[in-house]
Amino acid sequence: MEYSIIADKLTKKFGDFTADNAISLKVKKGEIFGILGPNGAGKTTLISMLTTLIKPTSGHAYVLGHDVIKDALEVRKSIGVITEKVTMYPPLTAEENLMFFGRLYGISRKELEEKINEGLEEFQLSKFRKRPVGTFSLGMKRRLDLVRVLLNEPKVFFLDEPTVGLDPITVSFIKKKIRDINKRGSTIILTTHIMQDADELSHRVALIDHGNLMACDTPKNLKKKLGKNATLENVFIHYAGEELRDETEKMSIAPRRGM
Amino acid sequence: MIKETWALFIREVKKTFRNKAVVAMMVVQPIMWLVFFGSSFSHVPSSFLSSFFNTTNYIAFLLPGELAASMIFVGMFSSMSMIQDKRFGFLKRILVTKAPKESIFFGKVFGASTRGLLSIPIMMLVSLAFGVVFHWNILSLVVWILGLLLLGVGMASIYSIITMRSNDWQTPGVVSNLINLPLMFSSTALFPSTIFPGWMRDISSVNPLSFAAGLGRSFVLNTPPNFLFLLYLVIFCFLFLGIGAFLSREWLKAE
Ligand SMILES: Nc1ncnc2c1ncn2[C@@H]1O[C@H](COP(=O)(O)OP(=O)(O)OP(=O)(O)O)[C@@H](O)[C@H]1O
Ligand SMILES: [Mg+2]
């Protein structure tokens, strides 16, 4: 099978409000696939459906051939997810957090210890292994989050805004790691608001606006359509327009739950 | 599933015991109850006490009841911890691993129950300090502790079921007022049912708290434990544990 992800008319409604509207796309094995779109476009919602966190209202999706609704557990076994917010248990140390998640992935203790050592080393966190994660800077947390996800050796990797809030050094470090992980054979799905990052990293990008898939192609092709010297930012504005995304109107229809 | 449950349970326990405020509360709260509430009957004539409570020391009557009541607060911890995990996004992280949802439910329930068990030695020590004399019948003691554990697990299950679909900080508080207070006052935890009106006596006779308190009184008053009480609590516990495990598959939401 050559596709890691197949989405077929994937739709999510919150009440009357359609967050994702019949999105169909295919992500090839080994691809770095960028998902772009304005705030509130439906990117996180799309990723949540693909990672089995929320159920689609209609449509289907398959990750490595497993149905995200019917075979949710099979899907979870082979994916890694990093969400916008970094979440580890603050009172537990880096090592304890990794141990905890490693156990949830079902990794044996001995193997886990080795992997944790390697991971902490690779992401330059060995020194801080005994420190509670609550004391970490955002950059350290984000790196630790990557160590955590890699424990499971995910075949498909979802990264929702992995570089938000980080300094340029950490950003470039993480971008390099994303490429490394991809070279080791993982498919990567990533969302970002930084067009340059998307352009540099992605083999193909999808542009979503108001829950609709507007375009899906290589960055090069998308830019070419707009003429010479066009940037991905031009492409973005071409499809999404310049209108600011004010969420208040929508929120009165479908108030967002949570924080 | 057992491995995942264990990992989740350990994390729950570590989280609780690393929080100094929580530990302090766990120690102080039961002491307050016994010291203030228990002492409120100090000047009641002992003949009155023994006719109502079968003991001249109200603390001796209160201890089993208070421990039973503290087990229902266990439920609240469990649901608070669930809300916390949702609000901070922890649950999302767990839900994308291969840990089954039942494990997450079990981890919460057992974690909270363990926290509740800590009040047993503390309250017993306080009671000893207040002159309660134990006869140390080991069988009664074991049956009692088992009963408390079953009650705690059952109550934590009920609470976790209620908060599975919620992500509101208020839910545990609202629910606890709705469940804990009626449950506490309609049981024999604080007062014997002989002084209740008929309708309350009916509630009391099916209230799991009364059964756990009853097992405790067997230990404190050195009478043989009633194994039917224990059986009742076994059924209570596994019923709600089972319902919760079943519902968690559908109901447990990331946020
Ligand atoms: N649980 C929910 N209930 C109601 N509405 C929701 C819920 N989750 C998301 N939405 C709405 O769905 C729309 C899409 O949200 P989503 O988080 O997918 O956007 P996004 O593309 O990730 O945006 P951003 O770039 O800001 O992260 C938004 O308008 C949001 O308010
Ligand atoms: Mg988002």
Side-chain angles (χ1 to χ4, degrees):
Chain A
M1 184 212 11
E2 59 178 314
Y3 292 111
S4 282
I5 293 175
I6 300 174
D8 179 20
K9 301 206 183 78
L10 208 53
T11 301
K12 180 70 191 181
K13 292 189 175 164
F14 296 107
D16 295 337
F17 174 69
T18 307
D20 279 317
N21 186 19
I23 292 189
S24 300
L25 49 82
K26 289 177 176 170
V27 178
K28 290 181 204 141
K29 272 204 172 146
E31 236 180 347
I32 300 184
F33 190 87
I35 301 178
L36 309 179
N39 289 129
K43 304 178 297 291
T44 300
T45 307
L46 178 61
I47 287 191
S48 302
M49 288 191 281
L50 295 174
T51 55
T52 78
L53 276 173
I54 58 175
K55 279 206 178 112
T57 312
S58 64
H60 297 277
Y62 306 88
V63 175
L64 298 172
H66 303 296
D67 189 320
V68 295
I69 305 166
K70 292 195 204 104
D71 302 324
L73 204 60
E74 281 307 312
V75 173
R76 286 183 212 134
K77 279 183 194 165
S78 44
I79 62 173
V81 188
I82 287 193
T83 48
E84 290 158 276
K85 227 182 346 162
V86 186
T87 38
M88 294 258 183
Y89 299 105
L92 303 194
T93 65
E95 200 170 27
E96 285 171 328
N97 266 294
L98 295 174
M99 272 288 174
F100 168 70
F101 281 101
R103 303 300 286 176
L104 291 190
Y105 291 130
I107 305 167
S108 74
R109 198 174 192 93
K110 210 166 143 271
E111 198 189 338
L112 193 54
E113 271 163 17
E114 268 167 38
K115 281 187 165 178
I116 289 177
N117 287 339
E118 282 168 23
L120 288 174
E121 198 58 43
E122 183 181 349
F123 285 83
Q124 299 171 25
L125 289 166
S126 299
K127 269 190 291 185
F128 309 108
R129 61 190 304 152
K130 302 268 184 225
R131 258 182 47 187
V133 172
T135 67
F136 277 27
S137 74
L138 184 62
M140 288 159 74
K141 281 186 196 158
R142 190 79 65 164
R143 269 142 61 202
L144 186 65
D145 221 15
L146 282 162
V147 179
R148 168 186 71 81
V149 179
L150 289 173
L151 292 175
N152 190 34
E153 295 172 9
K155 295 194 185 70
V156 184
F157 213 142
F158 294 87
L159 300 154
D160 198 353
E161 301 192 33
T163 55
V164 69
L166 303 178
D167 68 51
I169 307 165
T170 314
V171 169
S172 109
F173 179 82
I174 287 186
K175 286 203 301 208
K176 183 174 169 297
K177 286 300 166 198
I178 291 175
R179 284 204 193 88
D180 287 352
I181 293 161
N182 177 247
K183 287 205 188 94
R184 283 183 233 160
S186 302
T187 306
I188 291 173
I189 291 83
L190 119 131
T191 79
T192 175
H193 285 298
I194 302 160
M195 292 302 121
Q196 204 193 329
D197 290 356
D199 201 351
E200 283 172 23
L201 287 170
S202 320
H203 299 123
R204 285 194 304 147
V205 297
L207 248 154
I208 299 179
D209 193 19
H210 294 302
N212 295 303
L213 182 66
M214 310 293 287
C216 181
D217 208 335
T218 60
K220 202 170 145 201
N221 285 345
L222 288 172
K223 286 185 287 189
K224 210 158 62 186
K225 277 183 209 155
L226 289 198
K228 249 200 291 179
N229 299 332
T231 61
L232 202 55
E233 196 162 320
N234 299 137
V235 175
F236 186 94
I237 290 175
H238 172 74
Y239 285 101
E242 307 225 19
E243 163 210 5
L244 289 176
R245 298 313 150 98
D246 209 346
E247 281 211 20
T248 44
E249 197 186 329
K250 259 184 273 166
M251 284 182 55
S252 61
I253 307 166
R256 180 163 205 165
R257 295 200 306 148
M259 321 195 88
Chain B
M1 174 149 90
I2 293 172
K3 252 200 235 151
E4 287 92 0
T5 304
W6 180 251
L8 284 154
F9 166 74
I10 290 297
R11 165 335 257 186
E12 204 71 30
V13 172
K14 272 189 189 159
K15 194 183 80 175
T16 305
F17 288 94
R18 291 235 174 121
N19 188 332
K20 293 195 184 80
V22 169
V23 174
M25 195 190 82
M26 284 193 296
V27 175
V28 174
Q29 199 196 31
I31 298 178
M32 299 284 213
W33 263 97
L34 279 182
V35 171
F36 289 100
F37 200 61
S39 304
S40 54
F41 285 78
S42 303
H43 288 289
V44 172
S46 61
S47 60
F48 174 86
L49 283 178
S50 44
S51 71
F52 276 115
F53 301 120
N54 291 323
T55 166
T56 52
N57 190 339
Y58 179 61
I59 291 182
F61 179 85
L62 187 63
L63 171 69
E66 194 28 51
L67 271 174
S70 71
M71 288 299 141
I72 64 177
F73 285 96
V74 155
M76 208 171 71
F77 303 145
S78 155
S79 64
M80 274 169 13
S81 155
M82 180 94 88
I83 301 279
Q84 201 182 28
D85 276 9
K86 288 187 185 192
R87 298 302 291 249
F88 291 127
F90 297 141
L91 200 57
K92 258 191 203 161
R93 289 307 166 77
I94 300 170
L95 282 174
V96 293
T97 68
K98 68 183 189 68
K101 290 187 175 178
E102 294 93 316
S103 291
I104 298 169
F105 169 75
F106 289 143
K108 282 272 167 281
V109 167
F110 298 141
S113 309
T114 306
R115 175 172 169 176
L117 286 183
L118 193 81
S119 41
I120 299 178
I122 296 171
M123 287 219 200
M124 288 182 71
L125 285 173
V126 176
S127 305
L128 285 171
F130 273 76
V132 175
V133 180
F134 295 133
H135 302 275
W136 296 109
N137 181 321
I138 297 303
L139 178 67
S140 302
L141 182 64
V142 170
V143 168
W144 179 28
I145 292 174
L146 211 58
L148 286 172
L149 184 63
L150 292 165
L151 177 68
V153 170
M155 289 309 301
S157 300
I158 293 177
Y159 267 93
S160 299
I161 291 168
I162 293 165
T163 32
M164 268 177 203
R165 305 183 72 144
S166 168
N167 69 351
D168 190 337
W169 289 114
Q170 312 291 340
T171 310
V174 171
V175 173
S176 79
N177 277 311
L178 265 152
I179 297 185
N180 289 6
L181 297 181
L183 213 54
M184 203 156 82
F185 290 114
S186 72
S187 75
T188 58
L190 308 176
F191 304 104
S193 63
T194 43
I195 64 170
F196 289 173
W199 61 271
M200 240 167 87
R201 212 174 304 161
D202 292 342
I203 299 177
S204 164
S205 64
V206 292
N207 187 332
L209 236 69
S210 303
F211 292 88
L215 291 175
R217 300 218 164 95
S218 301
F219 171 73
V220 174
L221 305 175
N222 204 21
T223 55
N226 187 338
F227 285 99
L228 282 177
F229 284 14
L230 190 65
L231 181 68
Y232 180 90
L233 289 167
V234 168
I235 294 168
F236 169 77
C237 168
F238 284 97
L239 181 68
F240 286 103
L241 199 59
I243 293 176
F246 178 75
L247 290 178
S248 63
R249 278 184 227 168
E250 273 302 308
W251 281 15
L252 194 59
K253 292 269 151 60
E255 51 180 17

